[in-house]
Structure formats: C-alpha cells, structure tokens
C-alpha cells in the first residue's frame, strides 16, 4: 500500500521540484532517502497536501500575495510556495520579480501581477492547464485532465489522440519545462510519446514544436521519425516547423548516398522548373499580391489548380486573398491535393467560418471524404474542445467560432442540394424604388445583427457589405445638413446610383447567405420585418390605445421568438446538430425598438 502511494506515476508525491546545482535531488526530497515511508509519514503528507489545496480552491483561505494573468483571468498565487517548488519562480520573485511585475501591469490590491505570455513567450499555457499545474505544485498530486478542455466535440472519438487531448498535454509540458518541474516533464514526455503513433500527422506538429522549444531531444526524435514517414507536404513543413527540424526530416526522407556509392542523377529540369514556379506562386500569395500571381500564371502557362494554390491560400493566407482568387479561372473548389484533402478540409482545420462560407458559396462540397476517412465537419469536431462546443452563448454575445464552423458545415449537409444557387425572393411589401429597397435591406440586416451578431457578421463579411457605405435614407442622399459628413459633394447622380446599387447588392447577398446558412435565424428576422416593422419601431408614438396595442403585439412577438428558438433546439437535438444562436435578449430588442431604432 505504502509503495503504491509513493509511485511517481500514480500520485506524484509531494517533492521539492527543482534540482540543486542541476544534479542531485534536493536534500529535503522524499526521493533522497531509500527507506520506505512509514504510514504516519504518508498520512501527514496527505494531510499537508489537502491543507495546501485549500489555498487554491477555497476563497475563505485566500491569502495570496501575487497574481498571474492567464487568458485574461487573474489567478492568485503564493510566492513562497512557488519559490520553494520551482527554481524559475525562486529566481523570478527573489531577484528580478519586482521589476518584472511593475513593468508588466499595474498591481491589483497591492499584489504584483505577472502575465503568462511574458513568462512563457514561446508557447501557450491556458488557464485550465495552469490551474492543474498549480494544483500539482501545491499538493504534489497531478489531477486528471479536465474533460471539457481535453476532449473534442466528436461523439465517436476515443479522445486518446484528438486535437484537444494533445493540446492540453502540450500546454502542461510548456508550463512544466519553463517553470522547471523535472518530474512532471518526465511524466508528460511519456504521455506525449504515446500520442505520436496514434495521432494524425498534422496533430503531431504541436508535439514536435514543444519538444523543440523545450529541448526534449528524445521526444523530438520520435516526432521527426513519425513526420518523415508520413506524406505531409514539404510546404507544410517549411511553414510550420523550425528549419533544423525540416532539414532532419528531409534527410530521413531522402538520405544522401554513401561516400563510395554511385551519385544519383539530378532531377530533370522540368520538375525543377515546376517546383520553382509553385514556390513563386506561394510567395505571391503570402505577399497578398494577386496581380503578381496572375502574371506568374500567364508566364508559366500554369493554373491555380496545378499548384494547389487554393489549398495553400486556405491554409496560410488572409481571407481577403482567398476571396480574390476564388472567382479566377482554373480554380476547382473540390480539387483534392496529394493527401486527399480539398480546400474545405483545410479550411475546417483552420476553423475560420468566413473562409468556410466563402468556399461553400462557390460550390465546395461538405460531403467529400478525405483519404483518411474524414469529412470537413469531422475535422472540425475533432479539433474543437468540448468546452467551446457546449458553451452557452450569452445574450448579445458572439457565437464561438469553432462551434459556428461546425454548425455551418452541418447545416450544409442537411440543406437541400437543389437549393444551391437559388435566388433571394424579396418580400412583396417592398416597392421597386431603389431607396425603399435599400431601407428594407438596411433594416433587415440591422435587426439580424441585433438578434444574431456572429452569424450576421460572417454573412456580411462574405458579401463584403462592410466595404460599402450604409444608406441612411432619402435625406442623406439629398445632402441633408444632418448628414453632410457622409455626403461627397463631387458625386454625380450616376456615381450616387452606382454606389447605392453596390450597397444594395452587398446587402442582398448578405440576406441570401443568411437564408442559406442560417435559415432559422432568417425566419425569425423575416417574421419581424414582414409583420411588425412599421408599427414596432416607435412603441411610444400615437394615442394611448395604439401604444397599448403595440406593446401587446411586441410581447406576442417576443413569445414567437422564444417559441422559434425552442423549436430550433428541439429539431437540432433530434438531428444531433447544435443550432444555438447568439441571440440578444428580448429586453435589448425592446429597449432599442422603443427608442425608434431604424438601423
């Protein structure tokens, strides 16, 4: 029994963590003695561990004297305990600690404050990982990884090598290495080694990076061998790994001939020329220079698909570059690269909803299965933490981006394929007049932004509505004195008409995208616009009886919205798809409407 409790792999018994002179164990360490602990000593250590844990978990015993800010959250710590357990913190607090704290941020309640980004500049340590790490420093016991941050959103995943499981262990390794806790480094190195053969090669990259930054040569060797056996492209290696690691992988993939062996023939000029052309295309994409890209394609006689340029842009370039090259000739949005991935698969790994929607709008198929058996939504789910997927969006808050990516892809899977390319049918209440159409669309998009901020933001970004000027009404277009700042006095009537038509087209596409990818949200806005927009914009105008009727109708509308959300959630539960939206509160809508919001 006593032997089991003292095993480092089970409880990681309370020990002094840094090593004196970098060689022998600290004299007070239990491991310094070969004699087994007595039962009384084990009970005493266990009680000490429990008492120290109360300093972390109970506000009643909060006597912290410093704070470390992690992901915006100030975590209270006790400098004496951290100094006793870690040579890094001992040096930080006793020598340069005060200067570091004063230079980093203002102290809270007289406590010095430090930032995790300054302490661990080459890696990320999240707040959950840091609290688990602190728990070990205080108690000598390493608690299990919290499932909400170490498991993914894929229901059929074993969570033994998915993205969140690996990333959480990587975060703990960064903390253990930088803060110099050798026994945790040893434990986590074994854990990360077990991930290497199970994980997809893309998910081995974070392990290789932490091994490289923390000087873990054995772990780095295992990762390099795994990557060298894979079919991961050299372009991805160069973009994501240090040059030394890339060179080691290249040597393993293509070892040089022995000194006394025959020389290998030099690859043909055609291959070399093609590779150079592809590299130039990639550099043009990196510099956001579409004109140079077109010139290179014309000179070489190549197409974007020849270089898998869309794949590269989706993986590494700004979203505006992707929007510029999608309309070009020679772009197949469903083209598979050498590893069987389409651009949509790579966009799913990047988890940017604007890029995903751009590809879907151009005809990318969410049904295509990659060579490793994954669809785009599977990739997204395996990379999304359960915490982010299951988090409830507060009133008026934006939906989590990872979750929104999953919802967009799953709605695309459910969507009727015959609906692709359908035109937006305007409400019959809208006249043909350009100004009236603009007012309708401005109001509709504004209320969509009020009710569903994240979804509307994505739709507007894809439609490039933010690049056009908002239409403020007839008075603005005529140069009213209240809108002189928005009026270009040199603008001709033709220029004005073109500007308004550009704005209307952008808003029309915004609404169309909303109807296609966020149908439940759009139905709520449609009902609000078609039934009540004229009456409910001014709740406090008119005779008392009219105002009472308006208030009653507004309350009915709020109830309709609530029922719509309830129905939406019920349908999503039956289909296994989360359709929670970032709806703002009804009180907020009522408050804005009562002020006569026209948007």
């Amino acid at each position: 029994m006593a032997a089991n409790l003292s095993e480092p792999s089970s409880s990681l018994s309370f020990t002094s963590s840094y090593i004196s002179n970098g060689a022998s164990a600290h004299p007070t360490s239990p491991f310094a003695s070969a004699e087994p602990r007595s039962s009384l000593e084990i009970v005493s250590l266990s009680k000490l561990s429990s008492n120290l844990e109360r300093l972390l978990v109970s506000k009643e015993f909060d006597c912290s004297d410093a704070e470390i800010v992690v992901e915006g959250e100030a975590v209270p710590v006790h400098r004496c305990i951290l100094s006793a357990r870690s040579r890094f913190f001992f040096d930080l607090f006793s020598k340069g600690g005060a200067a570091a704290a004063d230079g980093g941020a203002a102290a809270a309640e007289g406590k010095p404050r430090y930032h995790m980004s300054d302490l661990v500049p080459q890696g990320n340590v999240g707040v959950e990982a840091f609290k688990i790490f602190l728990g070990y420093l205080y108690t000598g016991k390493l608690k299990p990884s919290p499932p909400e941050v170490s498991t993914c959103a894929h229901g059929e995943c074993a969570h033994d090598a998915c993205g969140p499981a690996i990333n959480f262990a990587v975060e703990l390794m960064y903390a253990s290495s930088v803060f110099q806790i050798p026994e945790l480094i040893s434990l986590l190195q074994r854990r990360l080694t077990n991930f290497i053969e199970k994980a997809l090669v893309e998910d081995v990259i974070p392990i290789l990076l932490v091994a490289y930054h923390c000087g873990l040569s054995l772990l780095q060797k295992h990762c390099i061998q795994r990557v060298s056996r894979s079919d991961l492209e050299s372009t991805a290696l160069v973009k994501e790994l240090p040059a030394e690691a890339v060179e080691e992988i290249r040597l393993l993939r293509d070892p040089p001939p022995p000194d006394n062996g025959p020389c290998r023939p030099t690859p043909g000029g055609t291959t070399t020329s093609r590779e150079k052309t592809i590299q130039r295309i990639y550099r043009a994409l990196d510099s956001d220079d579409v004109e140079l890209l077109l010139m290179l394609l014309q000179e070489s006689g190549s197409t974007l698909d020849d270089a898998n340029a869309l794949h590269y842009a989706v993986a590494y370039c700004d979203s505006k570059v992707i929007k510029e090259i999608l309309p070009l000739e020679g772009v197949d949005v469903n083209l598979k690269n050498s590893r069987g991935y389409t651009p949509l698969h790579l966009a799913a790994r990047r988890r940017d909803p604007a890029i995903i929607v751009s590809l879907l709008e151009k005809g990318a198929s969410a049904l295509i299965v990659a060579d490793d058996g994954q669809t785009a939504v599977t990739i997204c789910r395996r990379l999304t933490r359960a915490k982010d997927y299951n988090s409830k969006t507060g009133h008026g808050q934006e939906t989590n981006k990872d979750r929104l990516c999953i919802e967009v892809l799953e709605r695309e899977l459910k969507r009727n394929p015959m609906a692709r390319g359908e035109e937006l049918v305007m409400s019959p209440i809208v006249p043909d007049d350009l100004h009236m159409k603009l007012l309708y669309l401005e109001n509709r998009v504004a209320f969509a932004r009020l009710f569903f901020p994240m979804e509307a933001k994505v739709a507007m970004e894809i439609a490039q509505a933010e690049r056009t000027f908002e239409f403020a009404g007839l008075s603005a277009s005529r140069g009213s004195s209240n809108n002189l700042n928005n009026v270009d006095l040199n603008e001709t009537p033709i220029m004005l008409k073109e500007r308004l038509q550009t704005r209307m087209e952008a808003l029309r596409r915004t609404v169309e995208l909303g109807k296609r990818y966020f149908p439940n949200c759009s139905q709520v806005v449609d009902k609000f616009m078609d039934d009540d927009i004229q009456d409910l914009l001014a709740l406090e105008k008119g005779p008392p009886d009219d105002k009472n009727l308006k208030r009653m109708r507004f309350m009915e509308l709020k109830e309709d919205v609530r029922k719509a959300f309830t129905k939406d959630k019920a349908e999503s539960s039956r289909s296994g798809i989360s359709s929670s939206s970032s709806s703002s509160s009804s009180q907020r809508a009522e408050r804005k409407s009562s002020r006569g919001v026209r948007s």
Side-chain angles (χ1 to χ4, degrees):
M1 175 84 178
N4 289 336
L5 285 174
S6 63
E7 282 291 327
S9 60
S10 57
S11 63
L12 288 175
S13 302
F14 194 98
T15 67
S16 182
S17 298
Y18 61 84
I19 299 178
S20 177
N21 298 325
S24 59
H26 193 278
T28 61
S29 169
F31 293 147
S33 173
E35 298 180 1
R37 297 193 184 101
S38 65
S39 298
L40 179 60
E41 183 181 4
I42 293 171
V43 172
S44 300
L45 287 174
S46 178
K47 189 171 184 179
L48 173 62
S49 174
S50 300
N51 288 338
L52 288 175
E53 186 176 20
R54 295 164 74 184
L55 297 175
L56 287 176
V57 300
S58 177
K59 293 183 178 180
E60 179 183 357
F61 295 94
D62 182 15
C63 53
S64 59
D65 58 359
E67 292 179 344
I68 297 179
V69 180
V70 190
E71 295 180 337
E73 179 178 341
V75 180
V77 297
H78 304 77
R79 286 179 287 177
C80 58
I81 295 178
L82 297 189
S83 297
R85 297 284 278 142
S86 162
R87 186 75 202 187
F88 175 93
F89 285 116
F90 176 81
D91 293 337
L92 176 69
F93 298 143
S94 63
K95 297 179 182 178
D102 293 339
E109 300 179 357
K111 301 177 183 178
R113 175 174 288 183
Y114 306 84
H115 288 265
M116 183 63 70
S117 57
D118 298 328
L119 302 179
V120 187
Q122 289 187 319
N124 176 64
V125 178
V127 63
E128 292 87 357
F130 183 59
K131 288 180 178 179
I132 291 291
F133 173 80
L134 278 183
Y136 173 73
L137 291 191
Y138 278 64
T139 68
K141 299 176 182 178
L142 186 65
K143 290 186 176 180
S145 302
E148 65 271 14
V149 291
S150 60
T151 61
C152 70
H154 194 287
E156 299 178 2
C157 180
H159 309 303
D160 57 347
C162 57
I166 293 174
N167 290 335
F168 189 79
V170 165
E171 291 179 18
L172 281 176
M173 177 60 87
Y174 274 118
S176 303
S177 176
V178 173
F179 301 144
Q180 302 173 20
I181 312 297
E183 64 269 24
L184 266 186
I185 294 174
S186 178
L187 172 70
L188 293 168
Q189 188 165 219
R190 293 195 300 271
R191 183 179 297 180
L192 289 171
T193 301
N194 291 334
F195 285 136
I196 292 173
E197 295 301 328
K198 298 178 182 178
L200 297 171
V201 65
E202 291 89 350
D203 296 326
V204 175
I205 298 299
I207 304 177
L208 178 50
L209 289 174
V210 72
Y212 176 82
H213 291 309
C214 298
L216 306 172
S217 57
L218 184 60
L219 183 62
Q220 183 176 338
K221 180 180 178 181
H222 284 306
C223 291
I224 287 176
Q225 290 176 345
R226 168 74 170 87
V227 175
S228 66
R229 296 194 307 267
S230 74
D231 57 355
L232 194 62
E233 304 96 332
S234 58
T235 301
L237 300 179
V238 172
K239 293 291 291 186
E240 300 179 29
L241 295 177
E244 296 89 337
V246 174
E247 185 59 27
E248 287 188 54
I249 294 170
R250 283 177 174 170
L251 289 175
L252 286 173
R253 286 181 169 181
D254 189 19
D259 294 338
N260 57 353
C263 295
R264 297 183 182 180
T266 304
T270 302
T271 303
T272 303
S273 175
R274 179 178 181 276
E275 290 176 351
K276 289 182 179 179
T277 299
I278 291 175
Q279 292 304 317
R280 292 192 186 105
I281 290 173
Y282 291 167
R283 285 196 292 270
L285 289 170
D286 286 333
S287 61
D288 300 349
D289 195 337
V290 178
E291 291 184 2
L292 176 60
L293 171 67
L294 294 174
M295 184 180 69
L296 290 171
L297 293 174
Q298 185 176 4
E299 289 180 353
S300 64
S302 301
T303 66
L304 291 170
D305 286 349
D306 292 338
N308 284 334
L310 183 57
H311 292 79
Y312 182 88
V314 166
Y316 304 113
C317 297
D318 191 88
S319 58
K320 68 178 183 180
V321 178
I322 300 169
K323 293 173 188 174
E324 290 182 18
I325 67 174
L326 274 173
L328 299 178
E329 293 183 5
V331 177
D332 181 0
V333 292
N334 291 314
L335 178 70
K336 285 189 175 184
N337 63 11
S338 60
R339 305 190 62 235
Y341 287 133
T342 68
L344 188 61
H345 292 134
L346 300 182
R349 286 201 65 85
R350 187 167 173 176
R351 286 166 292 165
D352 186 324
I355 295 176
I356 289 175
V357 172
S358 293
L359 292 170
L360 291 173
E361 187 195 6
K362 288 297 181 180
S365 173
L367 297 171
I368 296 177
V369 180
D371 291 355
D372 59 10
Q374 295 190 102
T375 62
V377 70
T378 304
I379 293 172
C380 252
R381 280 187 169 274
R382 283 182 53 85
L383 292 173
T384 300
R385 302 185 304 178
K387 172 186 177 180
D388 298 327
Y389 182 73
N390 296 321
S391 62
K392 294 182 178 179
T393 304
H395 295 314
Q397 296 179 350
E398 293 187 348
T399 305
N400 177 273
K401 282 192 173 182
D402 293 353
R403 175 177 180 159
L404 187 56
C405 289
I406 295 173
E407 291 180 347
V408 167
L409 289 167
E410 290 189 330
R411 286 170 185 168
E412 178 69 9
L413 291 175
K414 285 184 62 180
R415 198 175 65 87
N416 182 1
M418 298 302 295
R420 185 178 300 280
E422 63 187 1
E423 292 295 327
L424 171 68
V425 178
M426 299 295 295
S427 170
I429 68 169
V430 182
D432 292 334
D433 181 78
L434 175 62
H435 293 138
M436 295 305 296
K437 284 185 177 180
L438 266 172
L439 282 174
Y440 173 83
L441 290 170
E442 291 283 6
N443 282 324
R444 195 194 184 288
V445 171
F447 278 106
R449 296 174 72 178
L450 174 66
F451 291 139
F452 314 102
M454 186 61 182
E455 290 81 349
K457 179 181 178 182
V458 170
M460 292 187 72
E461 182 177 346
I462 299 302
Q464 300 183 359
E466 298 291 357
R467 299 186 182 182
T468 60
F469 293 100
E470 182 179 354
F471 176 62
L474 293 172
S475 60
S477 65
R478 292 170 180 166
S480 169
S481 59
N482 294 330
N483 297 281
L484 286 177
N485 292 332
N486 299 324
V487 175
D488 183 358
L489 298 178
N490 296 320
E491 188 176 42
T492 65
I494 295 177
M495 294 168 60
L496 172 62
K497 184 177 180 181
E498 290 178 351
R499 176 169 62 84
L500 295 182
Q501 287 177 336
T502 301
R503 175 65 175 178
M504 186 175 70
E505 177 61 20
L507 294 176
R508 187 193 67 79
R509 290 196 62 222
T510 299
V511 176
E512 181 179 344
L513 288 168
K515 286 180 176 291
R516 177 175 173 183
Y517 295 110
F518 312 115
N520 297 302
C521 303
S522 295
Q523 289 174 9
V524 174
V525 180
D526 282 340
K527 182 173 180 60
F528 184 81
M529 293 294 297
D530 294 345
D531 292 350
D532 299 282
I533 183 67
Q534 301 300 326
D535 291 334
L536 298 183
L537 285 178
L539 290 174
E540 300 303 322
K541 292 183 179 181
D545 292 343
D546 288 349
K547 288 191 288 187
N548 290 334
L549 288 175
K550 290 178 184 178
R551 293 192 190 103
M552 291 176 59
R553 180 63 193 113
F554 192 82
M555 297 304 296
E556 292 174 1
L557 180 63
K558 286 168 57 179
E559 180 65 15
D560 291 342
V561 172
R562 186 192 66 79
K563 290 179 179 179
F565 285 131
T566 302
K567 181 180 178 181
D568 188 30
K569 292 178 181 179
E571 292 177 353
S572 299
S573 299
R574 289 195 296 271
S575 62
I577 299 174
S578 172
S579 59
S580 172
S581 70
S582 54
S583 170
S584 60
S585 66
S586 298
Q587 289 88 353
R588 180 180 174 187
E590 180 179 6
R591 189 164 59 250
K592 289 203 171 189
S593 296
S594 65
R595 293 200 299 264
V597 177
R598 180 209 58 79
S599 300

